[in-house]
């Protein structure tokens, strides 16, 4: 499904921010936009998970300026070396980078809160469709420091953690073989994580009432 007209306009605004930087809620200007490797903060939690699911290929959906071959991700190691990856694909529409293809795992960090609410179901469905075994998502549930060029907050869809869980639950049933780890940031480096789940786990469960 193509993006809505509003999402298309948003992508143009994000591309402008990637080129020219952005204003903040404090009145300052940030020149170096969207270059942090957001996955770094979760690396020690994700490493055993990647090993458990035998992840050899990865798609970073909304990667910003992440470079998986740059030393220093963990000591002298690159991110590719740290996670033991054979292949890394990246997608960043604000930078004209599109390597979308199926991979063992899809990671999506600090992306969905930037998507217009009407486009979220299609976006989440695409994440599932590209994930062979594992989908890891971190979404911010609070306003950003960054402002769009039109003056609105850059986190255009701010919702509480269980709203996001409900959205993922509703779409997970279409992809029962994909395990999901949803990490909802309620503040800077404050994370509410949901237990790893898959719709196949619900189907295999002996009971009808499942707390997860």
């Amino acid at each position: 499904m193509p993006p809505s007209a509003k999402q298309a306009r948003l992508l143009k605004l994000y591309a402008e921010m990637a080129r020219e930087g952005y204003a903040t809620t404090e009145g300052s200007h940030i020149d170096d936009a969207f270059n942090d490797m957001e996955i770094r903060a979760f690396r020690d939690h994700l490493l055993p998970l990647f090993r458990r699911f035998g992840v050899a290929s990865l798609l970073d959906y909304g990667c910003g300026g992440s470079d998986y071959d740059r030393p220093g991700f963990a000591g002298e190691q690159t991110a590719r070396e740290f996670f033991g990856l054979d292949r890394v694909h990246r997608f960043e529409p604000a930078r004209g980078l599109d390597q979308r293809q199926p991979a063992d795992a899809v990671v999506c960090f600090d992306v969905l809160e930037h998507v217009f609410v009407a486009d979220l179901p299609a976006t989440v469905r695409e994440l599932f469709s590209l994930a062979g075994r594992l989908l890891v998502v971190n979404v911010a549930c609070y306003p950003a420091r960054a402002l769009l060029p039109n003056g609105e907050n850059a986190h255009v869809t701010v919702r509480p953690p269980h709203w996001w869980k409900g959205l993922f639950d509703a779409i997970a049933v279409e992809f029962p073989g994909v395990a999901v780890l949803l990490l909802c940031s309620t503040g800077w480096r404050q994370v509410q994580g949901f237990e790893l789940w898959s719709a196949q786990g619900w189907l295999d469960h002996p009971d009808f009432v499942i707390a997860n």
Side-chain angles (χ1 to χ4, degrees):
M1 177 183 295
S4 69
K6 282 196 170 184
Q7 184 61 25
R9 286 163 52 198
L10 268 175
L11 287 174
K12 291 180 180 179
L13 294 176
Y14 291 130
E16 180 181 338
M17 294 167 74
R19 291 192 310 269
E20 302 177 15
Y22 57 85
T24 72
T25 54
E26 297 93 353
S28 60
H29 189 273
I30 304 297
D31 295 319
D32 188 24
F34 310 141
N35 278 327
D36 293 337
M37 278 196 80
E38 299 293 339
I39 196 173
R40 187 193 308 274
F42 302 93
R43 65 188 181 192
D44 294 328
H45 185 72
L46 294 184
L47 181 58
L49 194 61
F50 282 9
R51 289 175 175 170
R52 171 181 167 185
F53 283 89
V55 173
S57 59
L58 181 76
L59 170 63
D60 190 333
Y61 191 105
C63 63
S66 296
D67 184 348
Y68 282 76
D69 292 309
R70 179 184 299 164
F73 179 79
E76 294 300 315
Q77 285 185 307
T78 67
R80 186 195 297 266
E81 292 168 340
F82 179 80
F83 290 120
L85 299 169
D86 294 331
R87 299 180 306 282
V88 176
H89 313 292
R90 297 181 298 158
F91 174 54
E92 180 47 71
R95 298 174 185 269
L97 178 62
D98 189 352
Q99 300 173 350
R100 281 176 294 179
Q101 56 187 283
D104 294 334
V106 172
V107 296
C108 181
F109 286 83
D110 192 25
V111 172
L112 295 182
E113 65 271 22
H114 296 280
V115 176
F116 181 60
V117 65
D119 291 83
L120 279 169
T123 303
V124 172
R125 188 169 283 108
E126 181 176 42
L127 293 174
F128 272 99
S129 72
L130 293 168
R133 305 172 192 168
L134 178 66
L135 173 59
V136 180
V137 175
N138 173 238
V139 59
C141 302
Y142 58 94
R145 289 181 64 230
L147 297 176
L148 296 172
N150 69 355
E152 292 185 70
N153 195 274
H155 288 180
V156 297
T157 302
V158 175
R159 298 292 188 275
H162 277 89
W163 185 93
W164 292 103
K165 179 62 162 63
L167 174 62
F168 276 82
D169 279 354
I171 296 175
V173 297
E174 301 173 27
F175 304 90
V178 178
V180 186
L181 180 64
L182 176 61
L183 305 166
C184 293
S185 296
T186 55
W188 179 249
R189 296 295 183 251
Q190 300 173 21
V191 178
Q192 177 178 334
F194 292 93
E195 185 177 349
L196 186 76
W197 88 92
S198 72
Q200 191 61 54
W202 301 336
L203 295 170
D204 293 341
H205 198 281
D207 300 326
F208 291 103
V209 179
I210 302 172
N212 192 17

